[in-house]
Amino acid sequence: MWSYRNPVDVRFGPGSFARLADVIAGRRYALVTYGDTFFRGLASRLEKEAGAPVLVIDDIAPNPDIALLEVQTARFAGLVRPPEIIVALGGGSVIDSAKVFAAARGDFAAMDAYLKKRAGAETIAPWPLVAVPTTAGTGSEVTCWGTVWDNAGGVKFSLAHPGLYPEYSIVDPELMIGKPRDLTVQTGLDALSHSLESLWNRSANPVSMAHAIAAARGVLATLPLLVNDLRNVELRGRMARAATLAGFAFSNTKTAIAHSLSYPITLRHGVPHGIACSFSLPMIIRSVAREGGICLEGLQAIFDVEAQEAADQLETFLNGLGVATDYRHYGIDDAEWRDLIALAFDGERGQNFIGRKDALLAVAGGGGRKHMAVA
Ligand SMILES: NC(=O)c1ccc[n+]([C@@H]2O[C@H](COP(=O)([O-])OP(=O)(O)OC[C@H]3O[C@@H](n4cnc5c(N)ncnc54)[C@H](O)[C@@H]3O)[C@@H](O)[C@H]2O)c1
Ligand SMILES: [Fe+2]
């Protein structure tokens, strides 16, 4: 028995930013975005079409940290006329921050208790959201969760609430053409990771699988072309489509072991999210070579070869984009690597993984490789 649900109304295509004012539909809105020139230009265009926002939060930093989110949330508390809708114009950090503001509605203490202890779930009634992603990566435009980082505490939290599915998502590839190469690679690999993570997942189902296959094939076919042709709108469109489809895939499964493994790597070693959650994918494919079901069906549809060869192909793909697949490259030594893998299985996301710890450790390196017995 399985089920699939995703309520987000998606408007996709080059130029679709022009439809943002229509979906705001005269409601009082707060705008969450970055502060640089390109985004200020988009904000003033929106203001002409939809009127002035009641509040602009434009000091969003990559990987939203809980301390800054608290300060930013307080700005909503002072508003005489609160927003009726939150517009998130930016990458995953903007959309996830907007989800925190929507859920908190100016009350960070309640938000904090919900985030850390799942307390007060019944009182969380988020403002509606419109997500306008400017990266092709996180899929946050079609999920009901967001990642909140606590750098001081060395942990990350996951905000999740069914009311946090955006009401609308406007996915306009033209907004993505200015993304530099590194960001394009990082975010594209995040999307690839979301699609594969939804396959080796306890909640995988035929709909999530169909989205995952289309998404992964899209990233594998497009990203190597796009990195040499960054301003190509057609290729940007294919990546944006793949990232949103990956979002549809993992919106019903959540992520799994690669993401669980990635969080301490980002926190301790400063590795960007999209790299931290993808350099381990070939290793994970090797470890699930014996799993059947949707995982096998999906991997075969994507790679069209046996799992071992698929892993080799993916390794070549990543290395070709300049992404190292050896953990030592990221400053992780053998002992830490094996600890991180063990830890990853205990994490909330790690428990979604269908694979086995011994199988992963057996292919992980760092002393765990199965050596041929010497006669
Ligand atoms: N909610 C989810 O389901 C989910 C899934 C994966 C990752 N995440 C989170 O999302 C965050 C990462 O988001 P991201 O990878 O989209 O990047 P981001 O939002 O952190 O942005 C990274 C940088 O890219 C720049 N940028 C964004 N769009 C641009 C554009 N069009 N042109 C030029 N520069 C641009 C920003 O100014 C910023 O400096 C992390 O916190 C990660 O944990 C969330
Ligand atoms: Fe991710």
Side-chain angles (χ1 to χ4, degrees):
M1 196 144 80
W2 58 273
S3 62
Y4 180 94
R5 174 179 182 268
N6 191 303
V8 183
D9 187 334
V10 180
R11 310 288 158 98
F12 186 100
S16 55
F17 181 75
R19 299 165 81 170
L20 180 52
D22 293 344
V23 305
I24 294 173
R27 287 175 283 185
R28 287 193 308 273
Y29 71 99
L31 177 65
V32 183
T33 189
Y34 312 105
D36 34 299
T37 320
F38 173 66
F39 294 95
R40 265 195 251 125
L42 290 173
S44 53
R45 198 178 135 192
L46 180 63
E47 187 164 339
K48 284 194 196 91
E49 291 163 6
V54 294
L55 180 67
V56 179
I57 307 273
D58 66 359
D59 53 345
I60 301 296
N63 297 353
D65 188 89
I66 197 157
L68 180 58
L69 289 168
E70 181 170 7
V71 172
Q72 291 164 331
T73 298
R75 296 179 203 154
F76 287 86
L79 292 175
V80 181
R81 285 157 63 77
E84 295 167 299
I85 190 159
I86 308 282
V87 176
L89 170 64
S93 297
V94 163
I95 301 173
D96 289 2
S97 297
K99 286 177 177 173
V100 171
F101 306 144
R105 298 171 71 122
D107 180 355
F108 194 77
M111 172 77 258
D112 198 56
Y114 181 62
L115 201 56
K116 293 179 179 163
K117 299 180 216 127
R118 297 278 180 270
E122 63 292 343
T123 63
I124 300 283
W127 283 317
L129 274 163
V130 182
V132 187
T134 63
T135 61
T138 69
S140 187
E141 67 276 13
V142 292
T143 72
C144 69
W145 45 74
T147 306
V148 172
W149 300 84
D150 177 357
N151 280 290
V155 289
K156 80 98 197 166
F157 301 105
S158 204
L159 172 64
H161 191 280
L164 288 173
Y165 278 110
E167 184 180 295
Y168 292 95
S169 267
I170 296 196
V171 187
D172 184 345
E174 280 178 5
L175 304 183
M176 301 167 186
I177 56 175
K179 285 201 305 175
R181 186 188 188 282
D182 283 357
L183 183 64
T184 302
V185 169
Q186 289 158 17
T187 50
L189 295 179
D190 191 18
L192 179 65
S193 182
H194 297 155
S195 61
L196 298 181
E197 292 261 88
S198 72
L199 290 175
W200 46 63
N201 199 301
R202 295 193 188 283
S203 306
N205 63 65
V207 181
S208 68
M209 179 184 73
H211 289 311
I213 293 167
R217 290 178 66 102
V219 174
L220 293 170
T222 312
L223 198 48
L225 304 176
L226 179 58
V227 293
N228 294 313
D229 194 6
L230 291 171
R231 303 195 67 82
N232 184 321
V233 178
E234 154 84 26
L235 296 176
R236 288 289 181 195
R238 284 197 228 160
M239 280 305 293
R241 184 177 69 182
T244 300
L245 290 177
F248 276 116
F250 89 108
S251 70
N252 276 244
T253 63
K254 298 189 175 168
T255 52
I257 195 77
H259 273 70
S260 191
L261 184 58
S262 80
Y263 297 122
I265 295 176
T266 294
L267 284 162
R268 291 184 205 165
H269 297 278
V271 180
H273 174 70
I275 305 296
C277 71
S278 63
F279 79 84
S280 61
L281 295 173
M283 168 187 83
I284 297 167
I285 293 180
R286 288 187 186 104
S287 83
V288 294
R290 302 232 168 125
E291 304 291 339
I294 281 182
C295 178
L296 179 67
E297 193 180 338
L299 289 176
Q300 274 179 345
I302 294 164
F303 293 98
D304 203 20
V305 288
E306 298 265 316
Q308 296 297 345
E309 204 181 327
D312 293 346
Q313 279 182 14
L314 185 55
E315 195 144 19
T316 306
F317 170 87
L318 291 167
N319 296 161
L321 292 168
V323 176
T325 41
D326 185 333
Y327 55 91
R328 284 168 291 208
H329 176 86
Y330 301 100
I332 303 165
D333 66 20
D334 290 352
E336 186 185 9
W337 182 236
R338 297 181 68 74
D339 285 350
L340 284 172
I341 290 173
L343 194 71
F345 274 86
D346 299 334
E348 194 193 326
R349 297 296 190 249
Q351 290 170 27
N352 298 332
F353 182 48
I354 58 165
R356 294 191 338 263
K357 195 189 282 184
D358 58 344
L360 191 53
L361 284 169
V363 296
R369 228 179 262 281
K370 281 217 165 76
H371 296 290
M372 298 292 287
V374 180

